[in-house]
Amino acid sequence: MVVELDVSLGQDGARASIKRSQLFEVLKDKRPRRVGQEAVVVREITPGGLADVHPNPEAWLQKFFPQRLSNFFLFDGELMKNFFDTRVKGAIEDAVREIAGVDYFEDVRHKLEAVKTQIDKSIAKKSGGDAEKLRQKLHDARLLALKISEKIVKDKATLSGLEEELKEKEGIWKKFEDLAADANRSIEIQTEIVKKQLEIDEEEELFRRLILAAGPKAMISGGLEALRGAVESAQNAGTLPPPFNPQALQHLVERGTCICGADLSEGEGGHREISGLISGFEKASTVGKRLDDTARQWEILKAQVREQYRRITDTNKRFISLKDEKAKLAKELEALAERLIGHQNQSAADLGKRVKELHRQINDLRLEVAADEKSLNQELEPSAISAQNAFDEASKGQHELDGLRREASLAGELAQAAGAIHRVAIQLVRERLEESVSTKFKVVKSGSFVTRVTEDFEVITENADGTEAELSEGEKMMKAYIFSIALREVVGLSFPLIVDTPFGRLDEYYREQLAEMLAQLVSEDSAKSNRQVIFLMHDGEYTPYTKKHFDKVGPYESYLAWEVDEEKSNIGVGIDPDWFSVTAWKDWKEGKIK
Amino acid sequence: MSSLLKSTRSATSFDPDFKDFVAELRSLVKSPDGGKTASLAQILILTMSIGFQKGFKGPQSPRSNDAARLEYLDEAAVAQMRLVALVDQKSADVLEDDEAVIDIAEQYSNGGLVILRSEKESNPSFLSWLEKTLYHQTKSFYQDHLAED
């Protein structure tokens, strides 16, 4: 398969035809499998037609498209959501310098410094042997100071990278520590849940026993009114036994005395009275006695039911409370399990090792930088200044050298100015990037927040109170797209934004949200801009639900389909007709999806 | 141990058709006094109370003496049986004849078995239904007659 594109690169009107061939083999089931690719072929397009094939196409492409910028111009959608999570600050700064051409001023500075050195050499030659020696000394001192300065800058950059990595790793490590605590808590909760369940089972069993004891009595209790009536009737009829225990009374009579001191011996009044009661009980009917027993027993049963119901109420309350506690524990356990899923001990061990190593490296490097800075400030720079003074003194008084000295001084000042311009240019690009990103992001995400590009080229979105805003996956991806477009605008690069699988692994909701935002972004201020966005999407990604958003900006749709029967690829304009066999696309065709 | 009820039989009887169901019921319900399964006396009182509450009597059981032995019917059980008999006969005279009291208790018990088996067959949450029924009866009894005491 061959893909050939005519592209315009940069603003100087350079155009080229770029061709790349992919080699496929046809499998038994007639599906294609890529087996390799041929080298890219570049032919520049000149007013006279196509130029000859470029001898070194990769180098030619690099001229327009440096490798270190590829991360900002050719995207893999699946990685977009992590765009600002990875350590891209240095890469962004590099990209800005590269694209904005601000490194030119850095080159100028280096060249001017070389000129100054050359002039100093001439001065030394003309000044004689001592001046030459002093010039050499001055050169060595400057060189050493420069080397140490460069080493400090390099070490500081390394240190910054290591500190960044440590911050990131410690963040993850903190999560691992939390996970270890989570794991312990999970075990505790599981034990607590089992305990709670046992308590619930106990309460449930107690409830059942109590209800089985009280329930039947309560069900019969409707008959108590009849019992009361029968007792009253028997009482009126005198068939109820007297309210004494006849056996106990008989015992008193037999003993002839009472604990109260009354004389119960035969013939006494007390004896006669009690004997009368016993005789009354004997006369009471069997029915009366049984009725009396039943009524007395039911008073006991009522007291039992009262107590049992109170216990039932208590056990019910405990049961509900235990169930609630258990549900809370189960919920907590579920949340912990969610957090623990997918984490392995080995990755924790590796991470711990790396964190320890980073601490050691950072410590060593900090000590080294501090020592170098001390040496630079206290020894090397004073030594260079003193060498310069000595050299100036040695070459002084020679009239013809004054002109050269003025030139050397001018070259030095110009070199410093070039360095300052270089810094200002970077700052300017940063500010314009910030303005562009912030404005564009507001178009797609409403709310009171700002997106800033920091001194370190970190792209952060903050709420009104200065805290970092929480962004959804779709919004994070959108911010990355916006940054890329802003970069093009700020540095005036017209290379299109090309993204493979632009929605990555976003689910349907965020996919639609992102599609809407992208369409909005492309159409924003469209009269003035000439934004070109190329998305490469597969059939699972480009659905009628995403298309409806892109339709607002009039996309050019083209498809590439593998025709199994014909064993070849077909490229066509519009939507692949085969897609219309899918329900969603059928609905779209029938105008059901708007 | 002598029986509180005077009868020529040694034990109460259930409707023989419900022999298996009684066994099932014993394993399902918890014994109020902490035993693993409910005793036959407890099943007799439970089923009798269900039948009585619904006003449904079953057939008179043949005297197979295969249910609760009379000596296992304590004072509380006897008081409940006598109350059921008294209400059923609308007269306290029935208390004179313990045989009649037992017969009436058995009839209500058989009625209760019919109700319970039918519920068991149609309701997958039978036990829960039974517990709920007993709980609501207890609650009303307490609220209507016991709480103010």
Side-chain angles (χ1 to χ4, degrees):
Chain A
M1 184 177 77
V2 180
V3 175
E4 192 167 347
L5 290 171
D6 282 356
V7 293
S8 296
L9 296 156
Q11 290 181 309
D12 55 1
R15 290 181 65 212
S17 161
I18 303 170
K19 187 164 85 174
R20 168 148 266 169
S21 310
Q22 303 278 358
L23 302 175
F24 289 86
E25 68 174 359
V26 179
L27 299 172
K28 279 181 184 171
D29 62 358
K30 292 189 176 177
R31 285 188 306 108
R33 187 177 72 181
R34 199 174 80 99
V35 290
Q37 65 180 14
E38 289 182 351
V40 67
V41 174
V42 172
R43 298 179 75 185
E44 287 184 63
I45 302 170
T46 62
L50 279 176
D52 287 343
V53 170
H54 204 284
N56 190 349
E58 301 284 355
W60 184 86
L61 277 174
Q62 288 272 317
K63 196 168 71 175
F64 294 96
F65 204 72
Q67 189 60 43
R68 63 179 173 167
L69 303 186
S70 65
N71 283 342
F72 301 94
F73 292 91
L74 281 176
F75 291 107
D76 177 350
E78 295 200 351
L79 302 176
M80 287 300 277
K81 73 181 171 65
N82 299 324
F83 186 82
F84 292 107
D85 292 344
T86 51
R87 297 206 314 273
V88 294
K89 291 185 294 185
I92 292 173
E93 191 169 352
D94 279 354
V96 171
R97 288 155 71 115
E98 181 96 34
I99 304 162
V102 290
D103 282 348
Y104 171 73
F105 297 104
E106 187 81 338
D107 287 346
V108 168
R109 184 170 72 87
H110 286 137
K111 280 175 188 162
L112 285 167
E113 277 169 355
V115 166
K116 186 175 185 303
T117 307
Q118 198 54 46
I119 295 171
D120 282 347
K121 248 184 196 172
S122 304
I123 293 170
K125 262 187 189 168
K126 289 182 192 298
S127 305
D130 283 350
E132 173 56 26
K133 278 179 198 158
L134 286 167
R135 189 209 64 79
Q136 190 56 47
K137 203 178 162 188
L138 171 63
H139 176 75
D140 291 348
R142 276 191 192 144
L143 202 65
L144 190 58
L146 188 70
K147 275 184 183 167
I148 294 294
S149 295
E150 282 175 354
K151 183 174 176 294
I152 290 171
V153 170
K154 205 176 149 195
D155 284 352
K156 277 188 171 174
T158 311
L159 192 59
S160 162
L162 289 173
E163 283 170 342
E164 188 78 17
E165 188 187 347
L166 181 65
K167 195 177 156 192
E168 184 192 329
K169 293 273 191 301
E170 279 187 332
I172 303 169
W173 180 246
K174 174 79 179 61
K175 282 181 193 158
F176 271 105
E177 284 179 338
D178 292 347
L179 286 171
D182 285 352
N184 284 335
R185 178 72 188 132
S186 290
I187 294 164
E188 275 174 29
I189 290 176
Q190 281 169 24
T191 315
E192 281 179 51
I193 286 178
V194 171
K195 215 173 133 193
K196 290 278 175 228
Q197 189 53 53
L198 286 173
E199 288 179 56
I200 288 169
D201 291 348
E202 275 175 25
E203 293 299 335
E204 210 165 19
E205 188 169 325
L206 180 61
F207 173 84
R208 285 185 175 150
R209 291 189 192 286
L210 287 167
I211 211 68
L212 254 300
K217 294 166 202 154
M219 291 188 114
I220 301 168
S221 64
L224 286 176
E225 197 55 42
L227 177 65
R228 200 172 296 129
V231 169
E232 273 173 23
S233 302
Q235 211 161 19
N236 294 337
T239 54
L240 278 187
F244 300 109
N245 181 344
Q247 279 85 22
L249 290 179
Q250 187 61 44
H251 181 65
L252 282 177
V253 172
E254 283 166 10
R255 209 168 58 178
T257 181
C258 171
I259 51 169
C260 63
D263 185 5
L264 302 177
S265 52
E266 208 169 342
E268 292 299 319
H271 183 273
R272 278 199 303 279
E273 199 177 327
I274 290 175
S275 297
L277 286 172
I278 295 169
S279 152
F281 178 82
E282 281 164 356
K283 280 182 197 158
S285 70
T286 308
V287 170
K289 282 175 194 166
R290 287 179 181 171
L291 199 55
D292 187 53
D293 280 350
T294 304
R296 282 170 196 280
Q297 192 56 46
W298 264 100
E299 285 309 310
I300 296 169
L301 293 180
K302 277 161 71 179
Q304 281 177 358
V305 173
R306 187 183 294 118
E307 178 55 23
Q308 281 157 352
Y309 181 73
R310 281 176 188 156
R311 288 181 66 197
I312 286 167
T313 312
D314 289 347
T315 197
N316 248 348
K317 280 181 193 159
R318 281 197 300 275
F319 179 80
I320 291 165
S321 152
L322 285 166
K323 278 254 180 191
D324 283 352
E325 286 165 25
K326 192 190 155 196
K328 272 184 202 159
L329 288 169
K331 207 173 168 188
E332 193 185 341
L333 186 65
E334 202 180 316
L336 289 172
E338 194 94 335
R339 288 210 290 268
L340 288 166
I341 287 169
H343 292 285
Q344 292 173 355
N345 290 337
Q346 190 50 46
S347 54
D350 292 346
L351 188 71
K353 211 168 146 188
R354 181 65 186 144
V355 167
K356 213 170 170 182
E357 197 181 308
L358 281 168
H359 273 295
R360 190 187 53 74
Q361 283 180 352
I362 288 170
N363 197 38
D364 289 352
L365 207 53
R366 274 184 188 152
L367 289 174
E368 206 173 319
V369 168
D372 285 343
E373 278 181 335
K374 191 180 169 190
S375 159
L376 185 69
N377 295 330
Q378 294 180 4
E379 295 165 27
L380 299 174
E381 279 186 353
S383 161
I385 291 167
S386 121
Q388 180 73 53
N389 290 340
F391 173 69
D392 288 347
E393 190 62 34
S395 58
K396 205 169 153 186
Q398 296 185 43
H399 192 68
E400 71 271 27
L401 297 180
D402 285 353
L404 283 174
R405 268 197 291 274
R406 277 196 295 278
E407 281 175 23
S409 168
L410 186 63
E413 281 171 22
L414 284 173
Q416 277 184 7
I421 291 171
H422 179 240
R423 285 191 297 277
V424 168
I426 290 177
Q427 179 65 8
L428 202 65
V429 171
R430 187 192 68 75
E431 283 170 5
R432 287 180 59 199
L433 260 180
E434 180 177 286
E435 192 190 340
S436 179
V437 172
S438 188
T439 311
K440 284 178 178 34
F441 202 47
K442 271 182 191 300
V443 172
V444 295
K445 181 175 164 66
S446 55
S448 52
F449 56 83
V450 286
T451 300
R452 295 197 301 111
V453 179
T454 66
E455 298 289 329
D456 296 335
F457 279 83
E458 198 173 354
V459 186
I460 52 173
T461 303
E462 290 175 345
N463 295 313
D465 61 2
T467 54
E468 197 162 344
E470 286 277 334
L471 299 181
S472 70
E473 301 233 319
E475 286 167 348
K476 281 184 193 168
M477 289 173 78
M478 196 61 215
K479 195 162 86 167
Y481 287 129
I482 284 174
F483 182 79
S484 167
I485 288 172
L487 204 52
R488 284 166 174 75
E489 279 188 2
V490 170
V491 299
L493 194 79
S494 60
F495 197 85
L497 170 67
I498 303 171
V499 191
D500 183 21
T501 57
F503 301 121
R505 293 177 190 277
L506 289 181
D507 62 24
E508 194 60 40
Y509 171 76
Y510 287 122
R511 192 177 289 186
E512 272 208 59
Q513 190 191 37
L514 185 58
E516 194 183 352
M517 287 194 285
L518 278 169
Q520 234 174 322
L521 187 73
V522 173
S523 63
E524 179 222 355
D525 202 13
S526 57
K528 280 185 271 174
S529 75
N530 184 25
R531 271 176 214 142
Q532 197 177 7
V533 179
I534 299 169
F535 288 153
L536 310 170
M537 293 184 255
H538 52 75
D539 52 354
E541 206 175 11
Y542 197 54
T543 67
Y545 300 99
T546 44
K547 177 180 164 58
K548 69 179 181 185
H549 296 292
F550 290 122
D551 277 351
K552 293 172 195 161
V553 288
Y556 177 83
E557 293 161 320
S558 173
Y559 67 89
L560 178 69
W562 173 253
E563 300 298 337
V564 177
D565 296 339
E566 298 169 41
E567 292 185 26
K568 65 168 191 176
S569 296
N570 273 341
I571 194 159
V573 176
I575 302 296
D576 183 350
D578 287 349
W579 287 12
F580 291 114
S581 58
V582 178
T583 313
W585 281 105
K586 266 188 215 163
D587 289 348
W588 174 80
K589 204 176 178 183
E590 290 164 12
K592 290 178 186 169
I593 297 172
K594 292 198 189 318
Chain B
M1 198 164 84
S2 64
S3 163
L4 295 168
L5 293 165
K6 306 292 169 219
S7 168
T8 54
R9 56 190 128 188
S10 59
T12 59
S13 310
F14 287 123
D15 184 337
D17 286 351
F18 289 85
K19 200 177 170 189
D20 292 343
F21 181 63
V22 168
E24 195 182 349
L25 205 53
R26 285 187 68 189
S27 65
L28 276 177
V29 300
K30 292 280 174 191
S31 165
D33 55 18
K36 250 187 176 178
T37 56
S39 68
L40 286 168
Q42 285 158 351
I43 294 294
L44 172 77
I45 298 300
L46 171 70
T47 51
M48 178 192 76
S49 68
I50 301 268
F52 177 77
Q53 204 265 338
K54 299 280 178 195
F56 182 61
K57 283 202 279 190
Q60 181 61 56
S61 309
R63 293 201 178 179
S64 51
N65 293 333
D66 56 356
R69 293 187 62 78
L70 294 190
E71 60 262 36
Y72 291 147
L73 295 170
D74 61 11
E75 286 170 323
V78 170
Q80 290 174 84
M81 289 165 75
R82 282 185 172 151
L83 179 61
V84 166
L86 184 149
V87 175
D88 181 70
Q89 293 299 302
K90 297 182 181 68
S91 163
D93 292 346
V94 69
L95 302 186
E96 194 166 11
D97 180 6
D98 281 345
E99 294 290 4
V101 169
I102 297 169
D103 283 348
I104 293 165
E106 282 179 351
Q107 285 165 27
Y108 278 114
S109 168
N110 290 337
L113 283 170
V114 172
I115 294 165
L116 289 177
R117 188 165 71 178
S118 151
E119 193 66 36
K120 171 81 179 57
E121 280 165 1
S122 62
N123 188 349
S125 318
F126 166 73
L127 203 57
S128 166
W129 167 84
L130 178 61
E131 284 168 2
K132 213 180 273 180
T133 307
L134 294 171
Y135 173 73
H136 286 302
Q137 287 294 325
T138 309
K139 191 177 172 185
S140 333
F141 181 40
Y142 177 84
Q143 287 174 343
D144 298 344
H145 302 285
L146 307 177
E148 70 275 14
D149 287 1

